[in-house]
Amino acid sequence: MSLLKDILVIDFSQFLSGPSASLRLADLGARVIKVEKPETGDICRQLYVSEVKVAGESTIFHTINRNKESFTADLKNEADKARVRQLIASADVVMHNFRPGVMDRLGFSYEAVKAIRPEIIYAEISGYGEDGPWKDLPGQDLLLQALTGLPYLNGESDKAPTPMGVSVVDILAGTHLTQGILAALYRRDQNGEGGMVQVSMLESAMDFQFEVFTTFLNDGEELPQRSRTNHAHAYVAAPYGVYATADGYLALAMGNIQTLKELLVCPELGEFTDPEEWFDRRDEIKSILAGHLESKSTANWLGILEPADIWCARVLDFDSMRTEEGYRVLEMEMMVKTTKGHELRTTRCPIRVNGQLLNSPQGAPFLGEHNDAITQEFGLK
Amino acid sequence: MSDKGALPNSRLPLEGVLVLEFCQYLSGPSAGLRLADLGARVIKIENPGKGDLCRILPIKNQWVGENSLLFHTINRNKESYTANLKSPEELAEILELIRQTDVVMHNFRPGVMEKLGLGYEKLKGLNPKLVYAEISGYGSQGPWVKKPGQDLLLQAMTGLMYASGDQHDPPVPFGLAIGDILCGAQVVQGILAALVNRNRSGKGAKIELSLFESLLDFQFELLTTHFAGGQKPLRTKAQNAHPLLGAPYGIYATRDGHMAIAMVPLKVLEEALGCEGLGRFTQEMIFTHRDEIKKLLADYLISDNTGFWLTKMREKGLWAMDVKHWKALKQEAGYQHMKLEQKVRLPDGQAILTNRCPIRIDGNRLGSDRPAPALGIDSEKIRKEFNLFKAST
């Protein structure tokens, strides 16, 4: 089920934020052509994160760029630029994540692109906005986490500010860009007009925190306080947290402390009868729970808590997760293959359409792999 | 909320789209909020007794009248219609409303909507152009179907807790509801793609997401690397910031605070900071010796202030940032320039501050100062507007 059949996306972006957005568009049925610099291409091709490579290129690149085509063009060369302009004349979406000003200098600003293709959806991701004092700072995930206070939400209060160990700001910015592009495509089909979509990693990082940041804005700007022990959320009461058991770890979400006292047979919790104390005295409660839960196995506690509808779960790592029936029924893994026959196991698009999985076996393109085919198909000169 | 000097095409992209939100808490309602900010009309369909339970779920005991501040944060710019879905008359009215709507979304546990007579197959018969979106915790089949779809539990079960914190730490959760947020955002993507498709095909679609699949997708780089190498992602002994990345990637204590350093070639870093010894590690060693490299750097950076180091890094254009808390961030001209906050006007004349939509369209910042609705406040108006009385009699 290709919801975005016949949508052509010309993608100038690199690394993760932009390419993760175009991957989603590709999985939803759009045709995505990466415009890459000759010789080197998307720098992510050489961004190795492990010794495992796909045809000498980074596994990460192949993960983010499957199901796309690659067209090389030197954007400082007039002949190549003319070819890209011809390609844009047939496009629905142009997207990039260059630093502010770069696309203007290359001759591919929104105004310039709109002159070629008036109904274009032009989408861009910046680090900190297109103007203002931070526009030239590098838009890199960890730096944006550091800037926006995210590390003060994770880890216990005696720990250093703890970043989130996934490139969450890149991924959210890409997600928001996709939302904007799709909304603009909907409008274009309604009234024939294109539009410009802009997202910055700064805006995305702040949106991610909207619940807790709004609390901060309205409570006299009190900064978030992490729990001293078993921390999981600065704004949520005990028992919310992760607890060591005799053989692993147990996550406990919101719950009534007195109910837990009974179920777990933990009389020390008896004095915490006032729900307001479950937040104000959460460190004490969590310490008691932590001391109590480490005495028996995770299975033991789950056997007591789950039948009583207490929100709890065993903490799994990738290996243990993959042996679970609940994981396998989701069929989240799929194989992709490059045109040269390299296979890679990866995850599919998380969205199901009309009950169907959006699997795509097409691997990532080699640099310039589709130059000839695209030149011919679009009659590029 | 438009800017002076914005481009002339300022019609909001989803103008004219009607969304019925049968959702509670965060995942579904955050999707409804985004659709509303993009121009859709969003009506919350709520139970007449209590409504969305988020109404009575405060954080830090903050209330705005009878509702929590949290509810206002997630549900501004929406309407509220109450219906007892177990009453045949009221259900008939809802079905009439669904016949006229573009989108239905819900985050009930699997099977609940079907039991209420609001499953996709039935609604599709009523309105073939309907886009129907469904959020679950763990998908619609398998042993976990009945398990509560709560964010922390999903973080626990998807391996995510082994991405953050250092190697010898216990599993470290994200301190925000990342599963809810991502799943809500992806539901928006699915709904919008289905609406784009409907423009061409004239047909609606069913979109399904689960928090579990959203969190697996979130970890696609980690999982794919794991599949390829067979090894579990390993956090560094200290200063971990991403299990897949080599030194110096991490947050380091300085004499007066903390500083983040992203990917920087070691030779260049040695020169910029004057940290002797870094350069003896080759670029290949940023993975094999990352703990040693990080330790060397950590022991060095503690000797001076963040500002001192940052100046040296920035002079050379290297990727570094001081770690700020929100108060410090708010003081920055770069933050203020982006105008990230917006007011919501409450019925009693007071205002609260909250975040605006992160997406700008045609140069316009999106958002709305309209508050979250009181429970059922729009029921009568909606009944009249869509002629629902007819359906129940």
Side-chain angles (χ1 to χ4, degrees), chain B residues 162 164-170 234-238 240 290-291:
Chain B
Y162 289 98
S164 312
D166 296 327
Q167 206 170 97
H168 300 294
D169 287 336
L234 194 60
R235 301 176 288 184
T236 51
K237 284 193 178 131
N240 176 60
R290 59 181 184 170
D291 287 326

Side-chain angles (χ1 to χ4, degrees), chain B residues 269-297:
Chain B
L269 194 61
E270 179 178 41
E271 284 161 22
L273 298 175
C275 179
E276 279 175 34
L278 277 182
R280 75 184 156 86
F281 296 97
T282 64
Q283 215 41 39
E284 285 72 45
M285 291 162 89
I286 66 168
F287 295 108
T288 55
H289 293 67
R290 59 181 184 170
D291 287 326
E292 277 175 77
I293 300 169
K294 283 183 168 188
K295 180 153 190 336
L296 179 72
L297 192 55

